[in-house]
Amino acid sequence: MAKNTMMRAVQYNTYGGGAAALKHVELQVPSPKQDEVLLKMEATSINPFDLRIQKGIVWPFLPRKFPHIPGIDAAGEVFEVGSGVKNFKAGDKVVAVLFNICGGGLAEFAVAKENLTVSRPPEVTAFQGAALPIAGLAAHECLLRTPGFNYEKTGQQLNLLITAASGGVGQYAVQLAKLGNAHVTATCGARNLDLVKSLGADEVIDYKTPDGAALKSPSGRKYDAVIHCATGFPWSTFKPNLSTNGKVFDITPTPSVFMTNALQKLTFSKKQLVPLLMTPKKEKLDFLLNFVKEGKIKAVVDSIHPLSKAEEAWAKSIDGHATGKIIVEP
């Protein structure tokens, strides 16, 4: 590739600023280094984690440097491979998690590590692929950490609560839980009750009703685990609704969540608020992508935006009321 090949990208230069801080630029297309692949981007999606990076919540780990191109989820076509790459060649369709110094998915090209890249079957569209990585892996990780849960539907049925079930992580959590041995109670807004039922939830509660605010199961069940995708609920709301060893997995933990968890460990509490800290793994992404291929799970897409209007997608994510995933395509 010629060194002067340019690409369109969106970046920000400092922490904070929201959608207004995003800048449209032209940059040189990055070159893949050892064990990396250069992707011609087809789609990316915006996650709450992207917003947390911009706010400086994960400083000093991310971003590695400024200016920063956001976007962790990627679906695209391999354009060039670096030295040492064994499993991909130019033209391969893939899904990847982008965690590297070159930046992310809000660009026409992006570099991905081979060990965080998986082949995308022809049955999986770019939009379905781009929606999956961070949201799907977060939901899957919560279920894997739930004692007794399995996808073979063996053993005792577990009672699960999924909050904000119409959001990016929530939609996958409902579908994945119902592939396993779980009864699912879910919360969402009134306009999404039918959608969440269609994803497989056994009970769906409008979060603005008294039972929704109290997180009470309509059938009186106590939850063995909660996949908490919403914000604003104190531990005191969860505790009376949990079974003896119930766990609450908070996918966007604040400092107070870590403090509560530490105190619970010190006091040997059986009921625990657990901050979700996830390291993406290629094998787990491939596992979930196979579910998409087989039609067992799907992405609910809220909206699709061109790269030229990435700030609109960013603002919609900040608003926090998207139904499913927000997609950006170059």
Side-chain angles (χ1 to χ4, degrees), residues 104-275:
L106 288 184
E108 293 179 299
F109 291 86
V111 169
K113 301 287 187 182
E114 183 182 21
N115 64 4
L116 286 175
T117 303
V118 299
S119 297
R120 190 176 93 230
E123 297 89 346
V124 181
T125 67
F127 295 154
Q128 290 284 325
L132 180 67
I134 294 301
L137 287 169
H140 180 53
E141 190 68 24
C142 291
L143 292 169
L144 292 180
R145 296 186 191 184
T146 299
F149 177 83
N150 65 79
Y151 289 113
E152 290 75 39
K153 294 192 174 185
T154 58
Q156 182 179 350
Q157 186 185 61
L158 302 178
N159 295 314
L160 266 60
L161 170 66
I162 299 165
T163 63
S166 60
V169 177
Q171 58 156 330
Y172 285 120
V174 171
Q175 295 175 82
L176 289 169
K178 290 309 298 177
L179 292 177
N181 57 328
H183 176 282
V184 173
T185 303
T187 70
C188 63
R191 65 188 175 95
N192 291 318
L193 293 173
D194 289 340
L195 168 66
V196 175
K197 287 177 184 176
S198 75
L199 296 176
D202 299 287
E203 302 176 324
V204 188
I205 318 167
D206 178 354
Y207 74 93
K208 290 186 177 180
T209 63
D211 278 354
L215 301 177
K216 288 185 177 179
S217 162
S219 58
R221 295 167 185 259
K222 297 295 184 182
Y223 308 121
D224 299 300
V226 177
I227 301 179
H228 184 37
C229 308
T231 57
F233 287 92
W235 170 246
S236 59
T237 303
F238 290 110
K239 190 174 181 180
N241 292 302
L242 296 176
S243 63
T244 303
N245 296 298
K247 303 287 188 289
V248 177
F249 298 100
D250 193 322
I251 68 165
T252 54
T254 60
S256 66
V257 172
F258 287 93
M259 291 177 64
T260 300
N261 177 253
L263 180 61
Q264 290 168 343
K265 287 181 177 179
L266 287 171
T267 57
F268 302 100
S269 173
K270 292 183 178 180
K271 298 181 180 183
Q272 290 189 356
L273 178 60
V274 182

Side-chain angles (χ1 to χ4, degrees), residues 67-81:
H68 174 67
I69 302 172
I72 299 171
D73 296 335
E77 180 178 306
V78 175
F79 195 80
E80 184 181 347
V81 299

Side-chain angles (χ1 to χ4, degrees), residues 29 51 70:
V29 174
L51 308 181

